[in-house]
Amino acid sequence: MILELDCGNSFIKWRVIEPIGKSAFAEGVVGSDMALIEGLKVVPGLSLARCRMVSVRAVEETERLVEALVRTFNLVVSVAAPAREMSGVRNGYREFERLGLDRWLAMLGAFKLAKRACLVLDFGTAATADYVGADGEHLGGFICPGMPLMRNQLRTHTRKIRYDDVEAERALERLSPGRTTVEAVERGCALMLRGFVLTQLEQARVYWGDNFTVFLTGGDAQLIADAVPEARLVPDLVFVGLAMACPLP
């Protein structure tokens, strides 16, 4: 079995797949290295041989997690690394190694699936947009705060904004003007993300007309999905790219 890890700024997304068929044997999202290891220990029938990982964390943090995985499960770990070019996609950053690895892998996965120009929209702690031309050239992208960052900033800097995650989820059942603080904040942030998306679609049409594919990925992608009905919702897009960056025998 293969363990795949997407180590973001706030959470670790993980899944275990079978080498043949590549269907998910188990999967989850955790908030810490310890929670990951303890959670894996209790997966029934788990038999890990290899691990591939993408991490946007500091090098030291990533190394500590690798060491803990090797020590606990005695497996081989492959960590995705920056690249100027891979699988027909050319990194568009002036300093290619500074492009976030999660964005890079999502682009690799999108280009593989689309086989044409694509706009990759990822909604996690930050919201990102990346443009990949039909020739595989990465034209650049945009980064703005995602729902968690917008929400937390308002909670931190505005004394009267206090509510829990259950209230937040309930508030997003519709997008009419809010009649409570939680509704006003959650719906306002959601509409800001939608505005971000619509702006990206306009930009993509300037480049490619209608000859491109839109991909939505990330933990909050579902909030945007109905605003872009033509988009492909691929929650595990980073894992598609990770398999390309870290092929295992």
Side-chain angles (χ1 to χ4, degrees):
M1 294 178 181
I2 300 168
L3 173 63
E4 295 185 324
L5 300 176
D6 177 4
C7 303
N9 294 300
S10 303
F11 300 100
I12 300 173
K13 184 176 182 180
W14 65 271
R15 72 178 186 179
V16 176
I17 61 172
E18 302 276 8
I20 299 174
K22 297 184 179 179
S23 58
F25 176 81
E27 58 190 338
V29 178
V30 294
S32 68
D33 295 0
M34 183 60 68
L36 171 67
I37 290 173
E38 294 304 315
L40 288 171
K41 284 180 179 179
V42 299
V43 175
L46 188 68
S47 178
L48 296 175
R50 290 181 174 272
C51 170
R52 52 190 170 208
M53 171 195 306
V54 54
S55 175
V56 298
R57 299 171 164 192
V59 173
E60 296 78 12
E61 290 181 273
T62 303
E63 289 176 346
R64 282 198 298 269
L65 177 55
V66 170
E67 290 169 2
L69 290 168
V70 172
R71 183 172 60 251
T72 306
F73 300 105
N74 191 31
L75 43 64
V76 177
V77 181
S78 299
V79 181
R84 172 67 71 188
E85 182 172 354
M86 183 177 291
S87 301
V89 180
R90 291 180 296 283
N91 192 317
Y93 262 31
R94 295 187 183 94
E95 299 177 72
F96 74 89
E97 64 277 1
R98 297 184 67 85
L99 175 66
L101 277 170
D102 51 348
R103 290 171 61 194
W104 174 238
L105 296 186
M107 285 189 283
L108 293 181
F111 192 68
K112 176 184 178 180
L113 295 176
K115 297 180 174 62
R116 66 171 186 164
C118 48
L119 169 62
V120 184
L121 301 171
D122 191 337
F123 300 96
T125 303
T128 64
D130 282 289
Y131 297 75
V132 182
D135 60 354
E137 187 71 31
H138 173 221
L139 305 179
F142 298 95
I143 304 173
C144 74
M147 283 292 288
L149 282 178
M150 287 191 285
R151 179 187 295 130
N152 290 340
Q153 283 297 302
L154 285 168
R155 283 176 170 174
T156 300
H157 297 289
T158 308
R159 291 184 179 181
K160 292 186 178 181
I161 295 180
R162 295 289 184 271
Y163 56 86
D164 59 29
D165 292 341
V166 174
E167 291 177 286
E169 186 175 344
R170 190 180 302 120
L172 288 169
E173 291 174 355
R174 59 181 60 86
L175 290 177
S176 55
R179 296 172 67 88
T180 64
T181 298
V182 61
E183 289 177 353
V185 169
E186 291 296 313
R187 295 173 189 179
C189 291
L191 288 174
M192 287 190 72
L193 280 189
R194 286 172 177 243
F196 175 76
V197 168
L198 295 177
T199 301
Q200 306 314 311
L201 291 173
E202 290 177 5
Q203 182 71 56
R205 292 189 184 107
V206 170
Y207 285 136
W208 307 309
D210 292 323
N211 298 316
F212 66 97
T213 301
V214 184
F215 287 91
L216 300 180
T217 192
D220 285 324
Q222 194 66 53
L223 293 176
I224 309 300
D226 65 332
V228 197
E230 71 274 23
R232 295 180 63 175
L233 180 61
V234 185
D236 294 329
L237 191 57
V238 169
F239 286 146
V240 177
L242 180 60
M244 299 163 67
C246 299
L248 301 175

